[in-house]
Amino acid sequence: MSRIAGSWIVLAALVAACDDNTGPQVPMLLVSDTVLAARGDTVRLWARADGNTATAGWESLNPSIVTVTEDGLATAVAPGNARVRASFRGAEALGTVSVLPPVDIQVSELAHVTDPGGTPGVRMRIRNLGGRGFYALEIWKLDPGGAKRRIVSYNTEFEAEPGLDIEHVNYLSGEAPDWVVIYSREPLENQPVRTACARVDGAPGCPNDLPDPPMVHSVVVTPGAAVLDVGDSILYQAQAYDANGAEISGGTVTWHTPSPAVVRLDERGMLTALSPGYGQVEATIDGVQGSVGLTVTVPAPTVDSVWVGPDARTVAVGDTVRYSDVHRGPAGGLLGGDPLRRREIRLPRPGAEFPERAG
């Protein structure tokens, strides 16, 4: 939700009184003008009666531009100005809710630049002449044979607030580009539209036959299904692909896990196993999601030493003795063991002792 609210103003007030000033007084009602930055944005309207917050009833006089619920929740439907009316204890007041035009990103002041290492790039100024939305940036080059080549594509959409005015310098291409193309998208739309195309040298004739930016069709999360012990960590990565299976670079990845009790996942894709169970990792690029599962297990105890010996140290000739193994961890704690097979041992002399053996 995004809005810009103006100062409180008196739009209308109805005051009723009897001639002898003994009748009930209708309060002075005030509302404020409000601006919504994009279709779909909402704002709670407010009214004041005699300086105090009033629980007024609301209606929109232009519902094709802004709809308003009875309790004052206004929603932008289309660009324009809508009149809204508040009613409270016999008083009425009118206000205006404005919806800004669609996001409109423009590019200007293009110039070739070179970084200290000699890498060529381009500097530009990016402005938003409309409401809130998103934009994508492409940089193109005309090859000597006349082919148009996309050398940089920011497929991830950047947030563009109303009044956006920034300088952007790009060296990612490593080449001196010829065109910069801007695409804009409203929050409720799925597809961006081309809103600007300019030549770096300032000459007219920016081509209008450039293909649209590649759209993300699928997202693959790597590594694949994994088995982790509690306490282990792993870094996941996500790659976007278009409908033809070609990689799309430059997209911002949003990470999420629906299994927060099993794993912890940060904004970089770093996962830490918390408890035994089945977990899932989800990555979203340009609204398209990919996922992968994993299993978290309890790690097997670390064995630091093993003792092997008989159940009894002194036996008679011809007796059978059971040997057992005892496992201990690094701190000396007993981890347990399994009895070995019984075996018959004939002693060379009566009263001989069986040895112990540690490993």
Side-chain angles (χ1 to χ4, degrees):
M1 179 182 74
S2 177
R3 65 179 185 275
I4 305 171
S7 60
W8 288 92
I9 59 175
V10 179
L11 295 166
L14 302 177
V15 180
C18 297
D19 292 341
D20 57 2
N21 293 322
T22 59
Q25 298 294 311
V26 176
M28 180 175 289
L29 192 63
L30 299 87
V31 300
S32 67
D33 287 341
T34 302
V35 177
L36 293 173
R39 291 190 308 120
D41 283 353
T42 61
V43 64
R44 180 72 62 180
L45 301 177
W46 292 85
R48 292 184 182 277
D50 292 338
N52 299 313
T53 300
T55 306
W58 295 88
E59 65 175 321
S60 173
L61 304 184
N62 306 101
S64 62
I65 298 175
V66 172
T67 61
V68 182
T69 61
E70 173 67 23
D71 59 354
L73 182 64
T75 302
V77 177
N81 297 319
R83 300 288 277 175
V84 295
R85 179 163 53 206
S87 302
F88 180 73
R89 294 183 181 176
E92 291 185 350
L94 296 177
T96 300
V97 178
S98 300
V99 181
L100 295 181
V103 56
D104 182 10
I105 305 297
Q106 298 294 320
V107 60
S108 62
E109 302 179 22
L110 274 69
H112 287 130
V113 293
T114 304
D115 71 5
T119 302
V122 63
R123 182 183 66 244
M124 70 198 78
R125 181 163 295 279
I126 298 174
R127 293 186 175 93
N128 181 16
L129 306 182
R132 184 176 66 87
F134 305 90
Y135 73 95
L137 176 73
E138 291 187 347
I139 298 177
W140 286 76
K141 188 171 183 62
L142 183 65
D143 288 335
K148 304 177 183 68
R149 179 166 53 94
R150 182 192 288 116
I151 55 179
V152 170
S153 178
Y154 289 101
N155 295 294
T156 298
E157 296 169 322
F158 298 92
E159 179 78 20
E161 291 291 340
L164 174 73
D165 187 348
I166 61 173
E167 183 181 85
H168 178 74
V169 181
N170 181 278
Y171 296 107
L172 293 178
S173 64
E175 301 181 74
D178 294 307
W179 295 289
V180 173
V181 184
I182 298 287
Y183 296 85
S184 305
R185 183 180 70 82
E186 288 190 83
L188 295 183
E189 297 294 332
N190 293 322
Q191 301 294 332
V193 296
R194 186 177 300 156
T195 55
C197 180
R199 286 185 62 121
V200 178
D201 60 9
C206 188
N208 56 14
D209 61 343
L210 299 178
D212 289 332
M215 301 301 296
V216 175
H217 182 265
S218 62
V219 174
V220 175
V221 180
T222 56
V227 178
L228 303 178
D229 289 335
V230 172
D232 286 351
S233 295
I234 187 172
L235 180 63
Y236 282 90
Q237 295 181 329
Q239 177 63 57
Y241 296 88
D242 64 17
N244 297 319
E247 292 185 2
I248 299 177
S249 60
T252 295
V253 184
T254 301
W255 295 97
H256 173 261
T257 177
S259 318
V262 178
V263 297
R264 180 175 64 248
L265 186 67
D266 67 16
E267 67 278 1
R268 300 171 301 149
M270 179 63 74
L271 178 142
T272 302
L274 301 179
S275 62
Y278 177 79
Q280 190 168 0
V281 175
E282 298 173 350
T284 301
I285 302 177
D286 286 357
V288 179
Q289 185 184 96
S291 63
V292 67
L294 71 150
T295 302
V296 179
T297 61
V298 177
T302 301
V303 177
D304 187 65
S305 63
V306 178
W307 175 88
V308 179
D311 293 342
R313 293 181 58 86
T314 303
V315 295
V317 175
D319 284 353
T320 300
V321 178
R322 181 184 297 275
Y323 273 77
S324 301
D325 61 317
V326 177
H327 302 166
R328 295 186 182 275
L334 185 64
L335 300 178
D338 296 319
L340 303 179
R341 286 189 312 174
R342 290 180 179 270
R343 55 179 301 199
E344 185 176 305
I345 298 195
R346 298 189 178 277
L347 300 179
R349 64 183 188 279
E353 292 186 353
F354 283 83
E356 295 180 359
R357 182 162 59 92

